[in-house]
Amino acid sequence: MSWRDLITVRAGYTARTYNRWFSNWVAFRDRLSRDAVAFRIIRIAPKRIVFEIPGRSDNLHGAEFRRRFDWKRVFLSVVALSLVVFLTALLSPALVAPEQASSHTAAIASGSQSPQPKLCVDIESLNKRTIVENTEAFSVDGWNFESQGKLVSLGQLASADYLASCQSVARDIRVLFIAHGNSWQIEKMAPTK
C-alpha cells in the first residue's frame, strides 16, 4: 500500500515526502520554513511524515522520477561496460602473445641469415619484460644466464642468482621473475657484486 492512499490532499496542494536516505523530516521542514512556503505537516505513522505544500511540484520525486528515469537502460549500460572491460582484460594477453612470438621468430630468422657476432650490450639495459620458459638456463639479447642456486619463490614472485656471460664477459646477477602462466617474466635484473 502506498502512503498516498492514506492521506487526502486539499485542492491546489501536493503531497511531498523527504528523502529518507539522505535527510530527515525535521531538516526538510526547516528548509521549507526558510523558503517561506506555506505547508502543512501530515503524520501518517509514528516515524512517517508527509508535507502538504501549495502548487504542483516540478522536482522529480517518487513515481514521476521512476517514470522518467529508465533503470533498465542504466543497468544494461553498466552490464555492457563491465562485459567490455572483462573481455578486454581476458583477451589482451592473447592479442599481445602472437606479436611477441612473431617478433621472436623474426629475430631467430634474421639471426640465422646473418651470423655476425653480436656485441654485448650493457646488462642493465636488457629487455626486462622477456618471457622465460626454463629458469635454470636462458638467454636474453646475447647474454646467457646459468643458475647458481635454487629458485626461491614467494607467491607470484621468484628470484635466483645467475652467472651471466656474453662472449668473454661474465657477471653475477640476481634476477626477479613474475609468474606468467606456465612461464616466467623477467621483472628486474641487478648485479650482486
Side-chain angles (χ1 to χ4, degrees):
M1 173 182 277
S2 173
W3 60 267
R4 293 183 188 275
D5 297 336
L6 301 173
I7 62 170
T8 304
V9 180
R10 295 179 288 178
Y13 287 83
T14 183
R16 291 276 310 271
T17 184
Y18 58 94
N19 187 340
R20 292 172 45 178
W21 288 94
F22 301 109
S23 182
N24 60 26
W25 73 271
V26 176
F28 190 76
R29 180 191 63 191
D30 290 343
R31 192 171 68 219
L32 287 175
S33 297
R34 276 193 314 255
D35 294 341
V37 174
F39 62 90
R40 184 177 84 158
I41 298 174
I42 303 170
R43 183 178 297 271
I44 298 174
K47 292 186 179 181
R48 183 66 179 211
I49 304 293
V50 176
F51 295 90
E52 184 183 71
I53 59 174
R56 177 159 164 70
S57 172
D58 291 332
N59 293 342
L60 295 176
H61 286 283
E64 186 176 339
F65 176 76
R66 279 185 239 107
R67 199 170 42 246
R68 288 190 190 176
F69 193 79
D70 191 4
W71 287 104
K72 292 176 196 170
R73 285 188 182 171
V74 171
F75 178 72
L76 290 175
S77 299
V78 169
V79 168
L81 183 63
S82 300
L83 186 61
V84 167
V85 168
F86 174 73
L87 289 177
T88 303
L90 186 66
L91 295 178
S92 63
L95 296 175
V96 173
E99 292 174 8
Q100 289 177 346
S102 64
S103 66
H104 182 65
T105 55
I108 291 173
S110 66
S112 63
Q113 291 174 356
S114 59
Q116 299 172 354
K118 284 187 170 182
L119 296 175
C120 296
V121 296
D122 183 26
I123 202 160
E124 302 288 329
S125 65
L126 289 177
N127 182 7
K128 304 291 194 290
R129 302 292 181 199
T130 304
I131 304 292
V132 175
E133 298 294 328
N134 182 7
T135 59
E136 293 295 321
F138 58 92
S139 62
V140 177
D141 291 340
W143 285 88
N144 297 319
F145 292 83
E146 293 179 22
S147 177
Q148 291 184 328
K150 185 179 174 184
L151 185 71
V152 178
S153 64
L154 179 64
Q156 296 258 332
L157 294 175
S159 67
D161 291 331
Y162 290 90
L163 177 64
S165 60
C166 179
Q167 295 177 0
S168 63
V169 180
R171 294 183 70 184
D172 290 324
I173 300 291
R174 172 157 292 164
V175 180
L176 177 68
F177 298 101
I178 293 180
H180 191 66
N182 292 334
S183 55
W184 296 91
Q185 178 178 333
I186 298 174
E187 182 65 22
K188 185 177 180 183
M189 293 185 202
T192 57
K193 293 181 183 176

